[in-house]
Amino acid sequence: MIIQSKMVFVSGQFIPAQIHMDNGKISKISPYGESVPDADYEDKLIVPGFIDIHTHGMGGYSADDPSPEGLIKWLKALPSEGVTAFLPTTTTQSKENTVRALKNIADVMKQNHSGAEILGIHLEGPFIDYNHKGMHIKDHLRAPSVEEFMEYQKAADNSIKYMTIACEHDSDFALIRYATRNGVTVSIGHSGASFENAMLALANGAMSFTHSFNAMKGLHHREPAVAGALMSSNAFAEVIADGYHVHPSVVKILFNAKGNSNVILVTDAIGVKGLPEGVYEISNVKVSLDKNGTARNFGTDTIAGSSLKMNEGVKFLVERCSVSVENAILAATLNPARVLGVENRKGQIRYGNDADLTVLDYGFGVTAAYCRGMLVYRSNNCRD
């Protein structure tokens, strides 16, 4: 299959080009118009498929639920927002519930469904701080434990690829070092760590910060804390770009501080995504969803998650945060691929990579999405 556009995102910029796809891979990039294409997207943007490394669910389904049907429905729906790969993200539950959820995700991964590819699992909790728990269930919070993590990784058939941890509770950084040694990316989050402790955690293998500024001790000019380490280090930093979790000006400051290679757009969407305004029980937590799509712990002002779509996040970065189109796309594609170490397979349009492609109009609406060379989503307004 050959598709083309005058705006193909290659090496951080847009060029006219054709993309050749064979057996799920990009087999060649050639000049625009060189061959007769199967689809000509003219002036629309062809970008790498988006990768959401922090997303909990949608449509009433949560990654904490041991339901293969719900997970399959979720991965088939994600390409409509441009997502071609993701990490189902768990929350803090009982050990038994977590084990069941991990086994379910691992089983579905082996089935090779068409739609967004599950690259692995993001384990968020139970190894987080009580005072920065957000929507996580306090009764199940526990100190970081190598032995418990090994139980989870066994249940997941070694599919946990990313883990959020409150580094200040990890004695001697034992779990951070163990996870790093075994190919798991460690992200600091839900944390009240001091600046010094967070920097030592990075030195011991942590690579990222979970949903920057949310559920962490903030920056003070005499006590920079974990947010100061986030801003001053060269580590990766997730950000939820929905206008409610982080002010647009603070998102802009984050990009200015981190540059174009270390910010990762995430949705942190929970199971209420796609549902109407109301009150729901998601991941054994009662939450209220407002008309703006923001979820809160019921009866409180604590944000419990979002209903953000990735293409909407890219649009928000560009239109509200003064981030360039190119840097916004990198935050949704190559940067998450890099933090997971899969940039030679995902996150960029180049020879040999998976043919995961998203076609956007100039309003950042999704025209089409290809997962491993297969057209899996096509807008009703799309024409070849």
Side-chain angles (χ1 to χ4, degrees), residues 219-346:
L219 173 68
H220 186 276
H221 60 282
R222 284 192 294 271
E223 188 182 355
V226 64
L230 180 162
M231 293 290 283
S232 64
S233 69
N234 61 0
F236 291 94
E238 299 177 8
V239 68
I240 307 166
D242 64 353
Y244 302 102
H245 280 78
V246 184
H247 191 280
S249 294
V250 178
V251 176
K252 181 180 179 181
I253 291 169
L254 177 67
F255 270 84
N256 288 342
K258 306 298 287 184
N260 64 5
S261 60
N262 287 58
V263 181
I264 298 171
L265 173 66
V266 298
T267 64
D268 196 16
I270 65 172
V272 297
K273 179 176 177 175
L275 300 181
E277 180 181 359
V279 177
Y280 301 91
E281 185 166 307
I282 297 293
S283 296
N284 297 310
V285 176
K286 193 174 183 181
V287 301
S288 57
L289 178 68
D290 65 24
K291 63 182 179 181
N292 299 312
T294 302
R296 290 179 169 82
N297 285 7
F298 182 74
T300 76
D301 290 328
T302 300
I303 296 179
S306 84
S307 56
L308 182 67
K309 296 179 179 179
M310 281 290 278
N311 65 305
E312 294 172 348
V314 172
K315 177 183 175 74
F316 185 86
L317 289 176
V318 174
E319 296 184 355
R320 295 288 306 282
C321 305
S322 301
V323 175
S324 71
V325 173
E326 292 83 359
N327 287 346
I329 290 169
L330 288 172
T333 58
L334 181 57
N335 296 351
R338 288 175 55 233
V339 82
L340 296 176
V342 296
E343 65 269 28
N344 290 329
R345 186 164 69 91
K346 301 286 186 182

Side-chain angles (χ1 to χ4, degrees), residues 79-316:
S80 68
E81 60 189 79
V83 174
T84 58
F86 71 117
L87 298 183
T89 305
T90 61
T91 63
T92 301
Q93 303 288 311
S94 68
K95 183 184 290 188
E96 294 75 19
N97 284 355
T98 297
V99 166
R100 283 195 292 268
L102 295 173
K103 287 182 177 179
N104 177 61
I105 298 169
D107 287 344
V108 172
M109 286 179 67
K110 297 169 187 172
Q111 296 168 14
N112 196 31
H113 292 277
S114 63
E117 181 179 354
I118 301 174
L119 296 178
I121 298 167
H122 176 174
L123 186 74
E124 187 185 21
F127 308 129
I128 60 175
D129 182 60
Y130 178 89
N131 294 316
H132 298 86
K133 65 181 180 59
M135 75 168 286
H136 291 252
I137 302 171
K138 63 181 181 181
D139 293 342
H140 297 308
L141 298 179
R142 294 182 289 284
S145 162
V146 172
E147 291 73 21
E148 185 171 342
F149 175 76
M150 290 173 66
E151 291 182 51
Y152 292 146
Q153 191 66 292
K154 182 178 179 180
D157 197 19
N158 292 310
S159 294
I160 298 172
K161 301 299 182 183
Y162 191 92
M163 174 173 58
T164 294
I165 187 171
C167 56
E168 68 272 27
H169 300 302
D170 187 17
S171 178
D172 197 34
F173 306 107
L175 181 53
I176 292 174
R177 289 186 289 109
Y178 176 84
T180 300
R181 190 164 63 248
N182 287 278
V184 178
T185 300
V186 177
S187 186
I188 300 169
H190 288 277
S191 169
S194 68
F195 173 82
E196 292 77 11
N197 183 269
M199 293 300 291
L200 284 171
L202 294 176
N204 277 280
M207 289 180 58
S208 186
F209 290 86
T210 296
H211 44 51
S212 298
F213 310 114
N214 296 119
M216 64 174 57
K217 191 172 183 180
L219 173 68
H220 186 276
H221 60 282
R222 284 192 294 271
E223 188 182 355
V226 64
L230 180 162
M231 293 290 283
S232 64
S233 69
N234 61 0
F236 291 94
E238 299 177 8
V239 68
I240 307 166
D242 64 353
Y244 302 102
H245 280 78
V246 184
H247 191 280
S249 294
V250 178
V251 176
K252 181 180 179 181
I253 291 169
L254 177 67
F255 270 84
N256 288 342
K258 306 298 287 184
N260 64 5
S261 60
N262 287 58
V263 181
I264 298 171
L265 173 66
V266 298
T267 64
D268 196 16
I270 65 172
V272 297
K273 179 176 177 175
L275 300 181
E277 180 181 359
V279 177
Y280 301 91
E281 185 166 307
I282 297 293
S283 296
N284 297 310
V285 176
K286 193 174 183 181
V287 301
S288 57
L289 178 68
D290 65 24
K291 63 182 179 181
N292 299 312
T294 302
R296 290 179 169 82
N297 285 7
F298 182 74
T300 76
D301 290 328
T302 300
I303 296 179
S306 84
S307 56
L308 182 67
K309 296 179 179 179
M310 281 290 278
N311 65 305
E312 294 172 348
V314 172
K315 177 183 175 74
F316 185 86

Side-chain angles (χ1 to χ4, degrees), residues 50 58 73-86 114-117 311 357-359 366-371 374-378:
F50 299 148
M58 69 181 298
K73 184 177 179 181
W74 182 17
L75 66 86
K76 289 183 178 295
L78 283 173
S80 68
E81 60 189 79
V83 174
T84 58
F86 71 117
S114 63
E117 181 179 354
N311 65 305
L357 304 166
T358 292
V359 184
V366 178
T367 296
Y370 297 80
C371 292
M374 182 182 300
L375 178 64
V376 294
Y377 174 77
R378 181 183 174 94

